Amino acid sequence: MIKQRGKPMTHAQKNPTQTARLGYDSYQPVRHQPAPLTPVWLPAARPLSREERLQLAMSPLVDEATWFKLVQSQDIEIQVAVALNPKATRHVLELLARTAHEEAQIAVAAHPQMTPSLLSVLANTGRQRVQEAVACHPLTPPALLESLVASAHVSVRAAALRHPKLAPETIAEALTGSAAAREAVARNPALTRHQLAQLAQAATPGVAAALLRHPKLDAPLFTQLLGLGDQALWQAALRHRLMTSDGLLAILERRPGPTIKAAILQSPRVDRKVLTHLALDPDAKIRAGVARHPDTPVSVLLTLLEDVREDVRLALLSQPRWHAPLLDAIVTGPDHDLKLALACHPHLPEEVLNALLDTRHVTLHAAILRRPRLGPRVLTKLAHSPFASVRLELVQHPALNPALAEELACDRSWPVRDMALRSGKLRESTRQRLTHDPVKWVRLTAAGQAPTWPWEFTQRDRDFAAALKAR
């Protein structure tokens, strides 16, 4: 080796054209080099700030001596940054595992270069969160897990019991242990089907919830868990991959609360059998939910049409598609409020509107008249409405055609004839004929001498007001 002043030459001395990397206590500009450089300790040019040391801890271009100095700084954030650095060496990780802060030790447990010996060092620290991280690590050896199962901390024992490398003898002992031990070991993926059945026989709500998340749970054990009668368990089971319509019926047979019933209505596994069962529920909100469900059979909808609660009957109008038997039953039924709500539906077929007009109800006719985009058949039927107020509103409708205006000019109600004159859609012969109308007001309107409708009189229009009484 080439020496200078009796000492070995450094990398910077051998390669004067290359630039050294950052050191712990110095800062020097670096020229870009395509090939990576060997870390070199630089003499202190100036002290580094905390932000610069933090960036240095996260850099992969740092030598081991610099990492040692960073770890010894007792700055928690810097220690965590070193522990999260994938280029940190085993000696640096061992120093962190022995002397660093708890947060840095937890970060060390997740390092990609972790070894079983380093996990043993972390477990010997006695810190609860660190031991819990060790118990969850996939490389933890079985002997270390046995010691963690006997820990004084409940969370550490639970994490160790969930580890798939746990000894079969320890698993068998936990199956007959305390409720906390059984709840923890129920999440162990190494359990056999026989062990799952042993836990399900006398499962507490916590054990049952853990078994629901087990990857080896099958349909018979799932059905067995549904019979425990726990509301929280049912809520979680509704979203389970093994849930079926028979499972929903099994829950309903145990009379759950309204929250579970409402969740069953939202389940994608609900079918006609479940909806038929829920249609007989004493809760009106549940029956209304059945009336709105798109998969409810027509026979059930017709049964709900006779429900004593009005909100249940009105919920039938929220069906996403129209059923002809249901519409016929509503149109021919005695419930006027339901007919009025049906008449206000925005997507009602025209033939249903024509059928609704056969009902002699002034509010129903007026509601149909106020619908947008009325067809000619509906307008013609409204022109023969028995209610003069409906015909008077019809003659002012923008969709009124001249043929209907001519028909309404012969209406038996004189305000309708007068408004037909003001519509501007009558022939001149019809206007001349109305100049001989028996009502003076209509004659004045036909002659162009009546004031603006409706009856906006002034002092000089009192004679026109008197004409209203002279029919």
Side-chain angles (χ1 to χ4, degrees):
M1 179 179 293
I2 302 175
K3 296 185 179 180
Q4 184 180 6
R5 295 182 183 180
K7 295 182 179 180
M9 294 182 64
T10 64
H11 180 82
Q13 293 171 342
K14 294 178 183 178
N15 304 276
T17 60
Q18 297 182 356
T19 304
R21 301 181 183 182
L22 289 176
Y24 175 74
D25 294 324
S26 63
Y27 174 82
Q28 184 174 344
V30 181
R31 293 199 304 268
H32 174 71
Q33 295 291 336
L37 302 178
T38 304
V40 177
W41 183 260
L42 298 180
R46 63 171 178 82
L48 294 179
S49 64
R50 183 179 182 276
E51 288 74 15
E52 291 172 335
R53 295 198 304 271
L54 187 59
Q55 292 180 2
L56 199 62
M58 294 184 291
S59 174
L61 308 176
V62 181
D63 58 349
E64 191 174 59
T66 303
W67 269 324
F68 274 116
K69 285 185 173 292
L70 290 170
V71 171
Q72 294 170 1
S73 65
Q74 302 302 319
D75 190 310
I76 300 175
E77 192 172 355
I78 293 178
Q79 289 182 351
V80 172
V82 174
L84 294 176
N85 197 321
K87 295 297 184 179
T89 61
R90 183 180 181 280
H91 296 91
V92 175
L93 295 176
E94 186 174 357
L95 179 61
L96 287 170
R98 295 182 184 277
T99 62
H101 189 268
E102 181 180 10
E103 298 294 336
Q105 290 176 341
I106 295 174
V108 169
H111 199 275
Q113 300 184 20
M114 180 54 56
T115 60
S117 59
L118 281 178
L119 290 172
S120 300
V121 173
L122 290 172
N124 292 331
T125 59
R127 293 174 174 174
Q128 176 181 353
R129 295 176 59 201
V130 178
Q131 289 182 342
E132 187 175 350
V134 172
C136 296
H137 201 279
L139 296 180
T140 305
L144 184 56
L145 290 173
E146 295 298 326
S147 62
L148 293 176
V149 168
S151 174
H153 303 294
V154 178
S155 60
V156 176
R157 294 198 303 269
L161 288 173
R162 294 194 297 266
H163 203 283
K165 290 184 179 180
L166 195 63
E169 297 79 9
T170 307
I171 293 178
E173 183 180 353
L175 292 177
T176 58
S178 61
R182 286 186 283 116
E183 182 176 348
V185 79
R187 301 183 181 181
N188 195 317
L191 291 180
T192 63
R193 204 274 180 191
H194 176 72
Q195 291 171 336
L196 292 176
Q198 183 179 351
L199 286 172
Q201 286 179 357
T204 61
V207 174
L211 290 176
L212 279 180
R213 295 189 288 268
H214 202 279
K216 296 181 181 178
L217 185 69
D218 56 7
L221 287 179
F222 178 75
T223 306
Q224 182 180 350
L225 292 176
L226 294 180
L228 297 178
D230 183 68
Q231 299 281 336
L233 176 66
W234 289 336
Q235 191 75 33
L238 291 177
R239 303 183 296 270
H240 199 274
R241 56 183 174 84
L242 297 176
M243 177 57 70
T244 60
S245 60
D246 293 335
L248 296 177
L249 289 174
I251 295 177
L252 291 175
E253 289 174 357
R254 300 187 67 87
R255 298 182 180 180
T259 305
I260 301 298
K261 295 176 184 177
I264 288 177
L265 278 174
Q266 303 297 326
S267 174
R269 277 87 173 182
V270 67
D271 60 357
R272 296 191 170 195
K273 295 187 296 182
V274 179
L275 292 170
T276 304
H277 189 284
L278 289 173
L280 303 176
D281 194 85
D283 191 348
K285 293 182 179 180
I286 301 300
R287 299 198 304 274
V290 176
R292 288 188 290 266
H293 201 280
D295 295 333
T296 304
V298 179
S299 58
V300 177
L301 295 176
L302 294 175
T303 303
L304 293 174
L305 185 59
E306 302 175 358
D307 198 278
V308 295
R309 290 288 297 266
E310 182 181 5
D311 53 346
V312 177
R313 300 194 300 271
L314 291 176
L316 293 170
L317 302 181
S318 301
Q319 280 285 317
R321 60 180 182 273
W322 295 114
H323 302 279
L326 178 63
L327 289 177
D328 294 342
I330 295 176
V331 171
T332 59
D335 193 344
H336 290 291
D337 293 334
L338 187 58
K339 293 181 183 179
L340 182 60
L342 180 63
C344 298
H345 198 281
H347 305 293
L348 198 63
E350 186 176 358
E351 55 270 14
V352 179
L353 292 175
N354 289 328
L356 285 173
L357 288 175
D358 294 335
T359 303
R360 295 177 60 90
H361 197 280
V362 60
T363 310
L364 179 61
H365 288 206
I368 295 177
L369 180 60
R370 296 186 182 105
R371 290 176 57 89
R373 298 184 298 274
L374 290 176
R377 290 191 300 168
V378 178
L379 291 174
T380 303
K381 202 159 188 177
L382 285 170
H384 298 89
S385 174
F387 307 105
S389 61
V390 175
R391 301 195 304 274
L392 181 62
E393 189 174 352
L394 172 63
V395 81
Q396 305 172 62
H397 200 278
L400 184 70
N401 54 61
L404 280 181
E406 291 288 339
E407 185 177 349
L408 291 172
C410 304
D411 196 89
R412 61 182 179 275
S413 175
W414 72 266
V416 178
R417 300 196 301 273
D418 182 82
M419 190 56 66
L421 281 168
R422 298 172 186 270
S423 66
K425 298 179 181 180
L426 297 180
R427 296 192 297 267
E428 184 63 27
S429 59
T430 305
R431 180 178 294 275
Q432 291 298 328
R433 178 176 57 80
L434 290 176
T435 56
H436 304 287
D437 194 88
V439 180
K440 183 178 180 181
W441 182 274
V442 179
R443 296 196 302 271
L444 293 174
T445 303
Q449 300 176 3
T452 305
W453 184 270
W455 307 316
E456 298 175 358
F457 299 120
T458 59
Q459 292 291 334
R460 58 187 176 181
D461 296 326
R462 289 181 179 178
D463 54 338
F464 295 114
L468 297 176
K469 301 180 181 179
R471 286 196 55 182

